[in-house]
């Protein structure tokens, strides 16, 4: 009998075993690549079943918060443009008083309004004042208008709070003149509550005119008074408080307010730290900057014709973030 040497048969057997395991490992690796990278749908059996789709709740006519559209194809956030309907939820018109000699404020306010989805009128002239806005409001026939200054910020829920406060105020009285939604007084909560909304109070001494809503009757009353008494030297907010004390103006205040001065952004102001700032919780501007860091370097080129002589020598700290043509 002839037989193969034991050494040769063992060599061929070992070679076959090695080839078999090499082929199996290669096939397994190709399948893993196909499943994980080339054909994700093959993993559908690992996904949990999708929850049933429920009927969407009916949309509310009153906006409760702002919405942000996220572009899934990129990392940037796309903000909705100003919406007229959103503004009309609580007022007929929004005025932002801007003087052309104020560095950078117009540009920042435009971005803030965009983030809040508010359709605002930047009332910008060389020497804009509140009387100019009141005149325009009267001539335009608005029943109510929000007036704010160009150094302010909003609480993120400002629109829904203002809407609720105005609904409560209008259901209580139709003869109010001015409603402060931004002020510098820590004592406005001492005013007697006259409405069903606990944050609305009779105004006590709401210094500062950072933000207020004016009725048509109030605009006519204030415009007539200040045109007749235009030579008074006191600041506007001081004169308004005096009229409130004399009960010549029917005024209310929101406390805590939803509009605040941002003196940290404008150190060129008087530099005083307002106690009311302690109530400021959720800044709309800070959230806008968090979503779009480029807003932190906002700039607002100014017409040198209207540049205040005090700003001819721009401080170094302003040159970093603001631009003057």
């Amino acid at each position: 009998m002839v037989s193969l040497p034991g050494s040769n048969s063992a060599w061929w057997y070992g070679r076959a075993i090695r080839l078999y395991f090499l082929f199996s490992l290669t096939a397994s690796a190709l399948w893993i690549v196909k499943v994980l990278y080339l054909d994700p749908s093959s993993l559908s059996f690992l996904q949990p079943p999708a929850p049933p789709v429920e009927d969407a709740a009916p949309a509310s006519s009153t906006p409760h918060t702002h919405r942000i559209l996220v572009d899934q194809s990129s990392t940037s956030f796309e903000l909705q443009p100003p919406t007229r309907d959103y503004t009309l939820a609580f007022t007929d018109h929004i005025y932002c008083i801007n003087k052309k000699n104020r560095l950078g404020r117009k540009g920042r306010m435009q971005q803030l309004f965009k983030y809040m989805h508010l359709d605002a009128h930047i009332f910008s002239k060389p020497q804009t004042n509140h009387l100019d806005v009141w005149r325009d409001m009267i001539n335009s026939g608005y029943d109510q208008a929000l007036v704010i200054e160009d150094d302010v910020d909003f609480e993120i829920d400002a629109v829904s709070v203002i809407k609720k406060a105005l609904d409560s105020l209008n259901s209580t009285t139709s003869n109010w003149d001015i409603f402060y939604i931004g002020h510098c007084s820590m004592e406005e909560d001492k005013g007697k509550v006259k409405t069903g909304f606990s944050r609305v109070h009779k105004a006590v001494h709401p210094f500062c005119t950072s933000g207020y809503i004016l009725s048509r009757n109030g605009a006519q009353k204030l415009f007539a008074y200040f045109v007749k008494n235009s030579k008074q030297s006191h600041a506007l907010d001081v004169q308004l408080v005096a009229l409130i004390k004399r009960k010549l103006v029917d005024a209310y205040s929101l406390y805590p307010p939803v509009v605040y001065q941002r003196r940290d952004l404008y150190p060129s102001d008087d530099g005083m730290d307002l106690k009311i700032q302690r109530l400021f919780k959720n800044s709309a501007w800070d959230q806008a900057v968090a979503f779009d860091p480029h807003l932190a370097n906002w700039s607002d080129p100014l017409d040198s014709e209207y540049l205040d002589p005090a700003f001819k020598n721009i401080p170094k700290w302003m040159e970093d973030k603001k631009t003057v043509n």
Side-chain angles (χ1 to χ4, degrees):
M1 175 180 289
V2 179
S3 62
L4 293 174
S7 60
N8 287 342
S9 61
W11 184 87
W12 284 108
Y13 183 75
R15 173 61 65 87
I17 293 296
R18 285 195 294 270
L19 289 175
Y20 174 78
F21 280 107
L22 179 62
F23 176 80
S24 299
L25 290 174
T26 302
S28 299
L30 291 175
W31 182 85
I32 291 173
V33 170
K34 176 179 181 296
V35 169
L36 297 182
Y37 299 101
L38 301 180
D39 188 12
S41 62
S42 301
L43 291 180
S44 59
F45 65 92
L46 297 177
Q47 303 296 331
V53 178
E54 299 180 357
D55 294 336
S60 172
S61 59
T62 302
H64 293 284
T65 183
H66 69 298
R67 294 188 294 272
I68 299 171
L69 297 180
V70 181
D71 183 358
Q72 300 291 350
S73 63
S74 67
T75 58
S76 63
F77 288 87
E78 180 183 353
L79 302 180
Q80 295 180 354
T83 307
R84 183 65 180 160
D85 292 341
Y86 204 78
T87 301
L88 290 174
F90 66 97
T91 188
D92 296 334
H93 198 70
I94 299 177
Y95 291 96
C96 178
I97 299 177
N98 170 252
K99 293 183 179 180
K100 289 190 175 182
N101 64 347
R102 289 178 172 175
L103 288 170
R105 300 188 181 193
K106 180 179 179 180
R108 188 187 71 87
M109 291 305 297
Q110 287 174 329
Q111 294 298 325
L112 178 59
F113 286 130
K114 180 180 179 181
Y115 184 75
M116 294 292 290
H117 310 301
L118 296 176
D119 185 11
H121 176 193
I122 306 292
F123 206 84
S124 183
K125 291 183 179 181
Q127 294 297 325
T128 303
N129 57 45
H130 290 259
L131 269 73
D132 294 330
V133 168
W134 300 343
R135 180 191 294 111
D136 188 83
M137 175 184 172
I138 295 169
N139 292 338
S140 300
Y142 298 127
D143 291 327
Q144 295 178 3
L146 168 61
V147 182
I148 64 172
E149 297 180 340
D150 58 7
D151 59 349
V152 303
D153 194 358
F154 293 94
E155 287 281 4
I156 198 63
D157 62 347
V159 171
S160 58
V161 173
I162 295 171
K163 176 67 169 64
K164 185 175 181 180
L166 277 177
D167 286 346
S168 180
L169 181 59
N170 288 326
S171 65
T172 303
T173 176
S174 60
N175 296 320
W176 62 272
D177 296 319
I178 186 170
F179 178 40
Y180 287 87
I181 62 170
H183 50 77
C184 303
S185 173
M186 290 290 289
E187 299 184 1
E188 291 309 290
D189 60 333
K190 295 181 180 179
K192 184 178 180 181
V193 179
K194 297 283 291 185
T195 72
F197 187 36
S198 62
R199 291 178 63 176
V200 178
H201 304 263
K202 284 290 288 185
V204 180
H205 41 72
F207 293 106
C208 298
T209 51
S210 49
Y212 58 88
I213 297 177
L214 205 59
S215 68
R216 181 172 179 80
N217 182 65
Q220 294 172 333
K221 184 184 298 184
L222 292 178
F223 183 78
Y225 175 84
F226 281 98
V227 167
K228 184 178 180 180
N229 299 274
S230 59
K231 295 184 179 180
Q232 293 192 22
S233 59
H234 297 294
L236 176 65
D237 60 334
V238 175
Q239 296 183 61
L240 286 172
V241 170
L243 292 176
I244 294 171
K245 289 294 185 182
R246 295 165 57 188
K247 298 184 178 180
L248 297 178
V249 174
D250 190 16
Y252 293 80
S253 295
L254 185 67
Y255 187 90
V258 292
V259 173
Y260 294 84
Q261 288 184 328
R262 287 298 300 264
R263 298 197 174 192
D264 56 318
L265 297 178
Y266 304 103
S268 60
D269 284 345
D270 56 29
M272 295 178 60
D273 183 22
L274 299 175
K275 292 182 179 180
I276 198 72
Q277 295 296 126
R278 302 171 188 173
L279 304 179
F280 196 14
K281 301 299 182 182
N282 299 300
S283 161
W285 176 251
D286 289 349
Q287 289 197 23
V289 172
F291 282 122
D292 186 359
H294 294 91
L295 295 181
N297 296 318
W298 45 266
S299 63
D300 183 17
L302 300 178
D303 190 334
S304 59
E305 177 183 355
Y306 301 116
L307 189 61
D308 191 306
F311 292 109
K312 290 297 184 182
N313 297 320
I314 305 300
K316 191 65 178 177
W317 63 266
M318 286 187 175
E319 294 178 349
D320 296 335
K321 292 188 177 181
K322 304 167 180 67
T323 303
V324 178
N325 285 344

